[in-house]
Amino acid sequence: MSAGGYTSLFDDQAAAYSQFRPTYPQDLYDLVLEYAQLPQQQVCLDIATGQGQAAVELAKRFERVVAIEPNAKQLQHAVPAENITYREGSAEASGMPDASVDLVASAQACHWFELEPFWEEVRRILLPGGAFAVWGYDLVQVPGNAAATQVLWRMENVTLGPYWSDRRKLVSGHYRDCLPKDGMFADVKHVELGSPLSLTMQQIVGWVSTWSSYSTYKRHHPDGPDPLPAFQQELATALIGAQEDSSIKLNFPIFIILGKKLAK
């Protein structure tokens, strides 16, 4: 599948996306801005915003956020804010003017981009002295519970393993193969950030239902069986005594690519 063909993978889960996709910790945004040391925080571009999970937080830190997303169904569920402008747009052709953006951000989407034109676009639209932050996350783990972690691993890699796009390997590699070419930007860093996350069992199952591999599985097996009930039962068995609404402590592994455009 080409990067341009990925958007339809999220049509079926658009309504569930904002309900079940995890939000990112405040530590992540603090880390980005501490690294960037921006001379001003006027305009942020959030690329592949989905339903605005990151855009809403970025809007608390910037005067204006432009949030672009290629999937119109996702934008129908976007979280509104006075200083966020949502519109359709792509990572490779954002529609922003040259040298007009203080920070370019993108959350859990870089693996879908055509990387060379994407990085060229980032360099074109950043102001001198501007920065970018591109991040993603890998499969959560259940600290102290190897059985529950194994249930999650099997769902991702065995049950739904054949239904992931080839681009999933970029996520498994924590975006190390997404780095821009040497010399395009200054002070490029790859940072790993482990973050605690608490979800209920219902939320974990809902999250799995938003995976692109689950959507592809359902399209290949329109008459079933649905793997989610069996997954939920296995997870409940591993999490002895946990109810649907019990809070489960997880480790949320986040990885970030950071870089800057040299000031003239």
Side-chain angles (χ1 to χ4, degrees):
M1 176 184 296
S2 67
Y6 81 89
T7 57
S8 63
L9 291 174
F10 300 98
D11 284 349
D12 297 339
Q13 310 110 308
Y17 212 86
S18 60
Q19 183 179 0
F20 294 117
R21 281 276 166 151
T23 57
Y24 305 104
Q26 298 301 310
D27 287 354
L28 184 151
Y29 300 100
D30 293 343
L31 183 154
V32 168
L33 291 178
E34 182 179 353
Y35 161 84
Q37 295 294 305
L38 297 171
Q40 59 184 19
Q41 292 176 211
Q42 291 186 346
V43 180
C44 175
L45 176 66
D46 181 25
I47 296 179
T49 191
Q51 298 177 10
Q53 286 91 339
V56 169
E57 291 300 322
L58 291 164
K60 298 174 184 177
R61 296 161 170 83
F62 286 83
E63 293 180 23
R64 175 177 171 237
V65 173
V66 179
I68 62 173
E69 166 60 41
N71 188 305
K73 289 188 178 180
Q74 292 283 348
L75 288 177
Q76 290 172 8
H77 299 273
V79 181
E82 284 188 3
N83 61 333
I84 301 177
T85 300
Y86 290 103
R87 60 176 173 79
E88 288 189 54
S90 75
E92 303 82 9
S94 67
M96 298 296 288
D98 292 355
S100 61
V101 176
D102 298 294
L103 179 75
V104 173
S106 185
Q108 193 67 359
C110 185
H111 50 292
W112 296 115
F113 303 162
E114 295 295 348
L115 291 171
E116 188 171 339
F118 164 64
W119 288 123
E120 290 288 355
E121 181 73 351
V122 172
R123 183 164 62 174
R124 181 186 71 80
I125 64 178
L126 274 180
L127 284 156
F132 66 80
V134 172
W135 67 87
Y137 54 82
D138 208 348
L139 185 67
V140 295
Q141 300 171 342
V142 187
N145 192 324
T149 297
Q150 185 66 14
V151 170
L152 289 163
W153 185 91
R154 281 199 306 271
M155 188 62 169
E156 178 187 33
N157 294 284
V158 179
T159 305
L160 299 180
Y163 302 95
W164 289 107
S165 162
D166 288 345
R167 290 173 177 264
R168 178 67 184 179
K169 65 181 182 292
L170 297 173
V171 176
S172 301
H174 290 196
Y175 283 1
R176 292 182 185 87
D177 291 332
C178 294
L179 291 166
K181 290 182 179 179
D182 291 346
M184 288 192 74
F185 300 98
D187 196 24
V188 175
K189 298 182 182 298
H190 182 277
V191 178
E192 302 271 346
L193 178 66
S195 177
L197 179 69
S198 292
L199 297 176
T200 65
M201 195 180 326
Q202 183 182 23
Q203 288 172 323
I204 293 172
V205 174
W207 181 6
V208 173
S209 78
T210 71
W211 291 359
S212 62
S213 58
Y214 177 71
S215 174
T216 302
Y217 177 97
K218 294 282 284 183
R219 292 181 188 189
H220 280 78
H221 304 279
D223 299 320
D226 186 339
L228 287 183
F231 165 72
Q232 182 168 349
Q233 183 57 53
E234 289 181 23
L235 190 61
T237 300
L239 295 166
I240 300 169
Q243 304 298 313
E244 271 200 5
D245 59 352
S246 299
S247 183
I248 302 161
K249 293 183 179 179
L250 306 167
N251 180 47
F252 189 33
I254 300 172
F255 40 89
I256 316 163
I257 303 174
L258 299 162
K260 299 178 181 178
K261 183 174 178 178
L262 286 171
K264 293 182 179 178

